[in-house]
Amino acid sequence: MAAVSGNSDINNIHNIILTIDSNTTVNVSNIGKIKSRSSQISYYDFKNLVASSINYTIQDNKMTYARTIHSNGKMTLITEDGQRNEIPFDFPIDLISTVYFDIPADAEVVKMEIFNDIEAYVVKYVVKNEKQAPIDATLYFDKASGHIIGYKSITPLPTINDEMESLTIFSDFKEFNGLNFSTKSMVTSSSKSMQSNYETYSNYYFNVDGEDFKNNCFQNPKSCYSTYFK
């Protein structure tokens, strides 16, 4: 999820390409540290309600990838060797779900505090989902700019009698199509058995040529990677 603000008319945004480049370090009990790099190029067509993505993993200087297509309530996974697997999957394909936090009406501004050296409003709420236990969530809004600069969540893990606490710091805001997006995020997560750190960089491309992405990017993942991650 991105941190975004601005005054653009989102009805004029028909599609978007989102690129994400991440470096990950995971420290697992009894195993040790595991480092990896992953990247993603995602295309969302808000008019035709179709989304597709190319997911790359780079380990020991070797790249592997897989592709997904979301359409008509199903997801098609395409492996690197071309095998296809289709499963039911209800995936929201709209701009709001893609780039915004869904803040419920009962969210509460509880106080002001210094977050990452910035004076911020603290907003608390509960994320409710029928398929999992409620998640305690906290957002931090920069008092001066209004940007979301932080997100903290505590997710119960009842099957292993644990919980996962995650903190995301958003920074490096840039304007795209009248909207201000965070292009860098740092995520730290921890439970009793695992700690992880993610450093992520994002870019956004609005109202692109969807046919060009379909024919020249999605069909040629390695070439597409070179285009967006130079």
Side-chain angles (χ1 to χ4, degrees):
M1 183 63 67
V4 57
S5 63
N7 298 313
S8 176
D9 182 357
I10 63 174
N11 294 318
N12 293 326
I13 300 175
H14 309 298
N15 61 45
I16 183 175
I17 288 178
L18 167 61
T19 66
I20 301 174
D21 200 21
S22 301
N23 292 302
T24 304
T25 301
V26 180
N27 193 354
V28 183
S29 297
N30 302 322
I31 296 178
K33 288 185 178 181
I34 302 172
K35 293 185 177 182
S36 65
R37 180 182 176 188
S38 62
S39 303
Q40 183 181 78
I41 303 171
S42 298
Y43 170 72
Y44 300 90
D45 183 338
F46 305 124
K47 181 179 179 181
N48 297 304
L49 300 181
V50 175
S52 55
S53 65
I54 311 171
N55 303 282
Y56 305 87
T57 300
I58 301 171
Q59 191 83 41
D60 299 326
N61 295 318
K62 181 182 178 181
M63 175 192 290
T64 58
Y65 65 83
R67 291 168 290 170
T68 59
I69 301 172
H70 294 274
S71 178
N72 298 321
K74 62 187 178 183
M75 178 180 75
T76 303
L77 173 65
I78 308 171
T79 61
E80 190 166 348
D81 61 5
Q83 295 185 46
R84 302 170 75 97
N85 183 27
E86 188 176 288
I87 60 174
F89 192 88
D90 189 13
F91 182 80
I93 305 173
D94 61 84
L95 183 63
I96 300 299
S97 299
T98 304
V99 300
Y100 285 83
F101 280 94
D102 185 10
I103 305 174
D106 59 357
E108 182 181 4
V109 180
V110 294
K111 59 180 177 179
M112 294 276 298
E113 71 175 55
I114 302 299
F115 177 85
N116 198 33
D117 297 326
I118 298 172
E119 191 174 13
Y121 294 105
V122 180
V123 177
K124 290 185 175 290
Y125 59 99
V126 176
V127 179
K128 299 177 182 178
N129 188 317
E130 294 180 357
K131 298 180 181 180
Q132 64 185 37
I135 299 171
D136 290 328
T138 306
L139 282 171
Y140 300 86
F141 290 81
D142 183 339
K143 180 183 177 182
S145 68
H147 293 156
I148 296 175
I149 55 173
Y151 174 70
K152 182 168 70 174
S153 64
I154 300 176
T155 304
L157 305 173
T159 57
I160 58 174
N161 192 30
D162 201 355
E163 63 182 23
M164 178 71 72
E165 182 170 333
S166 297
L167 176 65
T168 305
I169 298 175
F170 299 103
S171 61
D172 292 10
F173 283 82
K174 296 179 182 178
E175 183 176 320
F176 300 90
N177 204 65
L179 295 170
N180 297 300
F181 289 87
S182 163
T183 60
K184 180 181 179 182
S185 61
M186 299 288 293
V187 183
T188 57
S189 300
S190 63
S191 66
K192 293 177 182 177
S193 60
M194 184 184 76
Q195 296 80 42
S196 61
N197 294 281
Y198 304 85
E199 182 179 39
T200 299
Y201 297 88
S202 307
N203 270 301
Y204 304 82
Y205 305 85
F206 294 87
N207 295 334
V208 300
D209 185 340
E211 287 300 310
D212 179 71
F213 176 84
K214 177 181 177 181
N215 296 322
N216 299 318
C217 193
F218 194 76
Q219 300 300 331
N220 299 283
K222 290 187 177 180
S223 175
C224 190
Y225 182 90
S226 300
T227 299
Y228 287 98
F229 302 109
K230 304 195 176 179

